[in-house]
Amino acid sequence: MLELPETYVLAKQVKEALVGKTIRTVTANANPHTYAWFTGDPAEYNGKLTGKKITDSAAYGGRTEIWAEDMRISFNDGVRTRYIAENEKRPDKHQLLVEFDDGSAVSCSVQMYGGILAFKAGELDGDFYYSAAIEKPSPFIDTFDESYFDALRKGVKQNLSVKAFLATEQRIPGFGNGVLHDTLWNARIHPKRKLETISDKEMSALFRSIKTTLAEMRDSGGRDTEKDLFNRSGGYKTVLSSKTYIHPCLSCGGELKREAYLGGNIYFCKSCQPL
């Protein structure tokens, strides 16, 4: 699923690979997906986007945006976006296919669920999720400092678990279950710990882990559980994920655990992250 590191990487790659290209044709919702959503009628995407030149890209929380003059193409969550070179075979199934004037293309396919939105700049400013992603400071910038993080903590009920605090309600847009586990492992905090049990010293360690872990994921090209624009796995090797929990902890050699919790799986080390 797209989260903060991956949206940043995708936006950077879009800027390098697509800026200057002109959209020749757009096919949206060719293969309907129950949990794919669009803005308005996807049949209108071709008319809205054809002839527009790609001018820029941006990452906002858990979404990447492609700027096509006054239009925006925005995708998030479980949308896999892939660059297709000239003369390369197009995928058989997709929820969006954007063809460019030079023969290259970009395809978007929804995995579990996700939004593929096409809209004029400014049209979604009143949408809660979109506005939160744009307006709230990202952990990648200086405005997201320890004072800001402490205010986030003090603004919620203290009987929340640390997973619920960090990865729900868009408190930190783009920070989801995927990046949660290594962040908490680096801070040595169990995902089920209640905020009221976490000391100020531990909370400072958690803040530092958010900043450094996410930056490492971003700078490594995203997590190895996700793919980039060119269908390559990210270079950040996850410590705790569906790929790794069957192996011993890299720190203590102890047992890693997977449990269902709050609508998804959590991964942790029983020794390094005691509950």
Side-chain angles (χ1 to χ4, degrees), residues 9-22 54 56-57 66 82-85 100-102 104-106 229-230 232:
V9 170
L10 278 171
K12 184 172 183 289
Q13 292 177 329
V14 164
K15 190 171 295 189
E16 293 169 350
L18 301 184
V19 166
K21 297 177 186 283
T22 298
I54 305 302
D56 207 346
S57 62
I66 300 174
R82 180 186 157 203
Y83 179 78
I84 305 166
F100 298 106
D101 56 345
D102 66 350
S104 64
V106 163
L229 185 65
F230 303 100
R232 301 174 302 209

Side-chain angles (χ1 to χ4, degrees), residues 8 20 22 72 74 87 153 182 185 187 205 226 241 254 258 260:
Y8 179 93
T22 298
R72 304 289 183 260
S74 178
N87 300 322
R153 177 186 64 154
D182 280 19
W185 182 80
E226 304 298 325
S241 70
R258 178 179 71 175

Side-chain angles (χ1 to χ4, degrees), residues 60-61 63 124-138 148 169-174:
Y60 302 120
R63 68 175 67 233
L124 289 190
D125 287 354
D127 178 85
F128 168 75
Y129 292 100
Y130 185 78
S131 296
I134 289 180
E135 294 168 5
K136 291 188 177 182
S138 164
Y148 177 81
E169 302 298 327
Q170 296 294 300
R171 277 179 276 272
I172 307 175

Side-chain angles (χ1 to χ4, degrees), residues 65-74 117-121:
E65 259 186 23
I66 300 174
W67 294 17
E69 298 181 19
D70 61 333
M71 295 296 294
R72 304 289 183 260
I73 306 170
S74 178
L117 316 179
F119 55 95
K120 190 163 286 189

Side-chain angles (χ1 to χ4, degrees), residues 158-232:
Q158 297 303 294
N159 62 355
L160 278 183
S161 69
V162 69
K163 173 182 173 175
F165 168 58
L166 291 176
T168 67
E169 302 298 327
Q170 296 294 300
R171 277 179 276 272
I172 307 175
F175 190 106
N177 207 50
V179 300
L180 173 78
H181 303 107
D182 280 19
T183 300
L184 292 180
W185 182 80
N186 283 327
R188 299 301 192 256
I189 295 175
H190 193 288
K192 289 185 178 180
R193 285 271 304 273
K194 303 296 185 184
L195 293 179
E196 60 197 3
T197 73
I198 300 176
S199 68
D200 289 343
K201 182 178 179 180
E202 288 176 309
M203 198 58 74
S204 290
L206 176 57
F207 166 76
R208 291 193 298 273
S209 180
I210 290 170
K211 298 286 276 191
T212 58
T213 305
L214 291 176
E216 184 179 355
M217 291 174 175
R218 175 199 65 194
D219 295 345
S220 300
R223 292 166 286 148
D224 60 358
T225 54
E226 304 298 325
K227 297 291 184 70
D228 69 5
L229 185 65
F230 303 100
N231 205 35
R232 301 174 302 209

Side-chain angles (χ1 to χ4, degrees), residues 224-263:
D224 60 358
T225 54
E226 304 298 325
K227 297 291 184 70
D228 69 5
L229 185 65
F230 303 100
N231 205 35
R232 301 174 302 209
S233 296
Y236 175 86
K237 296 187 180 303
T238 48
V239 176
L240 293 171
S241 70
S242 60
K243 287 186 170 187
T244 64
Y245 79 96
I246 58 174
H247 304 297
C249 174
L250 292 179
S251 178
C252 71
E255 182 184 9
L256 300 180
K257 296 289 289 181
R258 178 179 71 175
E259 292 181 6
Y261 182 62
L262 291 182

